[in-house]
Amino acid sequence: MKPANEFFTSEEQQKIENAVKGAETKTSGEIVPMVVNSSYEYPRAELIGAGTLALAVGLIFSWAVGGESIWWFLPVFLVGFFGFQVLIRNSPGLKRKLINPKEFDLEVREKALVSFVEQGLHETRDKTGILILISLFEHRVQVLADSGINAKVPENTWDEIVTIIVNGLKAGDSCNATCQAVERCGELLEEHFPRKHDDTDELPNLVIEP
């Protein structure tokens, strides 16, 4: 899995930023795509996975070598636990299998809410900020709109944006999919929030979390 800071090339980042600028020429809305490595560290998955594997290895080893002695089991378990913990931490595919998909949904949603505030999307003049969060580890996309938009645009409208990006990620065309999603956001907002003569670009056009 590529880290967030390498997920898009410099040229692709510029292309996305240009797409945001183009979409914002049609609307007073502020669109902020954001890419993060992970929405949460999921330490419980590491503990449960490492504990289970170390327990199995410790029991088998003590039974096969030490005559079921606890003095063989304990050191093998402890060494195995820390070893498997490191292995799981550095194996995203394995770690992902140890986590309930519902937990992914909750953590990505929470990350989107926190990022919405941290990036200042709640401070736009007309409450028209939109965050498009791409969380790489979870393979999830979350779209969050401010109160001014939600008052006029049904929340399920953003399912279309999520689908566009998810399909692009699966097809290996994440840059064009993100640009398409941004352009679609601009079209959806244009009807209710046309650009004003004194509009300014209040927020960054792309955020990549290190």
Side-chain angles (χ1 to χ4, degrees):
M1 182 182 76
K2 286 185 179 181
N5 60 2
E6 297 178 9
F7 190 69
F8 294 119
T9 65
S10 298
E11 293 77 13
E12 289 174 333
Q13 291 179 31
Q14 189 60 58
K15 186 175 180 179
I16 293 169
E17 291 190 40
N18 289 339
V20 172
K21 292 176 183 177
E24 290 179 352
T25 62
K26 306 173 185 177
T27 174
S28 60
E30 289 284 333
I31 305 167
V32 180
M34 181 175 182
V35 185
V36 301
N37 289 310
S38 176
S39 292
Y40 185 55
E41 294 300 324
Y42 304 98
R44 185 172 61 178
E46 295 178 11
L47 294 176
I48 293 175
T52 301
L53 291 171
L55 178 63
V57 170
L59 289 173
I60 292 171
F61 191 86
S62 65
W63 173 78
V65 177
E68 301 182 15
S69 170
I70 192 172
W71 300 113
W72 281 98
F73 168 78
L74 283 177
V76 172
F77 174 82
L78 290 173
V79 172
F81 177 83
F82 291 110
F84 285 127
Q85 188 177 29
V86 172
L87 173 65
I88 292 170
R89 183 174 300 163
N90 292 284
S91 304
L94 175 59
K95 186 174 179 178
R96 200 177 292 115
K97 293 181 184 298
L98 298 170
I99 304 169
N100 190 314
K102 291 183 179 179
E103 186 175 359
F104 283 153
D105 296 335
L106 290 172
E107 295 298 344
V108 173
R109 173 73 177 180
E110 183 175 341
K111 176 65 175 180
L113 290 168
V114 171
S115 299
F116 196 91
V117 174
E118 289 179 343
Q119 299 300 326
L121 276 91
H122 65 302
E123 296 177 338
T124 59
R125 181 178 63 176
D126 298 317
K127 301 298 181 184
T128 53
I130 295 180
L131 175 69
I132 302 174
L133 177 69
I134 302 173
S135 195
L136 300 178
F137 173 75
E138 292 86 355
H139 296 172
R140 294 290 192 278
V141 177
Q142 181 79 46
V143 179
L144 201 61
D146 207 349
S147 56
I149 295 173
N150 287 331
K152 296 184 178 181
V153 179
E155 189 173 357
N156 60 9
T157 300
W158 310 118
D159 293 344
E160 177 187 354
I161 306 303
V162 171
T163 299
I164 290 172
I165 298 179
V166 168
N167 288 342
L169 293 173
K170 290 179 179 178
D173 194 18
S174 51
C175 175
N176 286 328
T178 303
C179 291
Q180 184 183 348
V182 167
E183 291 164 3
R184 183 60 180 143
C185 282
E187 293 170 359
L188 291 169
L189 293 177
E190 184 178 7
E191 178 181 355
H192 299 289
F193 306 97
R195 185 174 175 83
K196 298 177 180 178
H197 71 279
D198 59 345
D199 270 344
T200 58
D201 194 357
E202 302 176 67
L203 299 172
N205 295 321
L206 176 64
V207 175
I208 297 178
E209 189 174 82

